[in-house]
Amino acid sequence: MDSAQTLLRQVAKDAKVFQTLSAATAAAAQQETGKCWAVLPLTRDSMAEVHTTLQDGSGTLGVIMVATAAPVSQMEVLRAMEYSGVFVASSEMTKAMPALAAASTFAAGPSLVLLATAEAIKGDENWTAFMYDPRREDAGSDAFVTDNERVRSEIKGFLNRQNLLTLIAKKSLPAPAVEGEESGELAQGLSEASKTVTILYSSDTGHAEECAKAVARQCRNG
């Protein structure tokens, strides 16, 4: 935990760092620029609390999850990519500077960084260091980047599902009307009305609801 705070202060000297998520969230609500950081141990309970907080989308909140023991699951961190405008990264502690620097400058939404000690991922050939930066997408590049030659299968599956949901969302929203077309005002009005997408689902397990919400988020993101 101390190592994570030391690294963070090297890239953001004036960063406000807290030991609880509630304290960081309260401070972030009062701050207009920069980020207030919570540095937390990676546990199931802490990740559940983080997911609830990320949905609020505060651009002045940053969260660092620290994994010190194997096995290290990256799936719950990946799920944060489903929220609109969240910076997400996963890195080994000793190589964390680029991820922390990018996370500190991300102002459009919260930042979530998973840092794992070398001992925690020792022998894990599938460990994948990555960054998901929505700013890259705005510039026409892939938001998800990794230097790993091997990407763990869970991440591949997650990305494939996200790509499919994005395709569905884009096909659900028609292109806006072009000015000057015949009956332009009527066409534009119909186009605006058709941007309302109704998503129906039915499930015994609750998984369909999760997928439906993911599609809705992609529709809102365009």
Side-chain angles (χ1 to χ4, degrees):
M1 304 290 286
D2 291 339
S3 297
Q5 292 189 41
T6 300
L7 290 171
L8 177 61
R9 293 194 185 281
Q10 289 182 28
V11 299
K13 295 181 180 179
D14 298 327
K16 297 179 181 178
V17 184
F18 300 87
Q19 302 299 319
T20 66
L21 185 59
S22 58
T25 302
Q30 304 299 320
Q31 187 159 311
E32 295 184 359
T33 60
K35 286 191 182 294
C36 296
W37 290 88
V39 180
L40 311 170
L42 178 65
T43 66
R44 180 176 298 181
D45 289 343
S46 63
M47 275 307 311
E49 185 181 8
V50 167
H51 276 293
T52 300
T53 304
L54 289 179
Q55 295 181 49
D56 293 335
S58 173
T60 54
L61 176 66
V63 180
I64 297 177
M65 309 299 297
V66 180
T68 58
V72 179
S73 173
Q74 296 179 270
M75 287 308 298
E76 287 303 309
V77 175
L78 278 169
R79 280 189 55 215
M81 291 164 47
E82 294 184 344
Y83 304 121
S84 176
V86 177
F87 177 97
V88 187
S90 180
S91 175
E92 183 182 341
M93 186 78 72
T94 58
K95 303 176 181 178
M97 297 294 283
L100 290 175
S104 297
T105 59
F106 184 72
S111 294
L112 173 63
V113 181
L114 168 62
L115 298 183
T117 62
E119 295 77 12
I121 57 175
K122 184 178 180 180
D124 185 354
E125 296 181 353
N126 292 318
W127 164 262
T128 301
F130 69 86
M131 278 196 286
Y132 175 81
D133 190 341
R135 290 172 296 191
R136 289 177 53 84
E137 204 166 57
D138 294 338
S141 303
D142 289 336
F144 184 94
V145 293
T146 179
D147 292 331
N148 288 50
E149 293 183 0
R150 177 185 298 179
V151 178
R152 70 189 315 147
S153 58
E154 296 94 336
I155 294 179
K156 286 182 179 178
F158 183 91
L159 293 175
N160 288 338
R161 180 166 69 92
Q162 287 300 101
N163 291 338
L164 176 60
L165 294 177
T166 299
L167 179 63
I168 292 172
K170 287 183 177 179
K171 286 190 174 182
S172 297
L173 295 176
V178 178
E179 290 186 9
E181 287 185 348
E182 197 170 320
S183 302
E185 292 185 2
L186 176 59
Q188 183 175 355
L190 291 174
S191 175
E192 291 298 323
S194 67
K195 288 184 180 180
T196 299
V197 178
T198 301
I199 302 171
L200 305 178
Y201 65 89
S202 177
S203 175
D204 292 330
T205 63
H207 182 64
E209 180 179 5
E210 177 185 345
C211 291
K213 289 180 177 178
V215 171
R217 283 192 293 270
Q218 292 292 348
C219 287
R220 286 195 296 270
N221 294 339

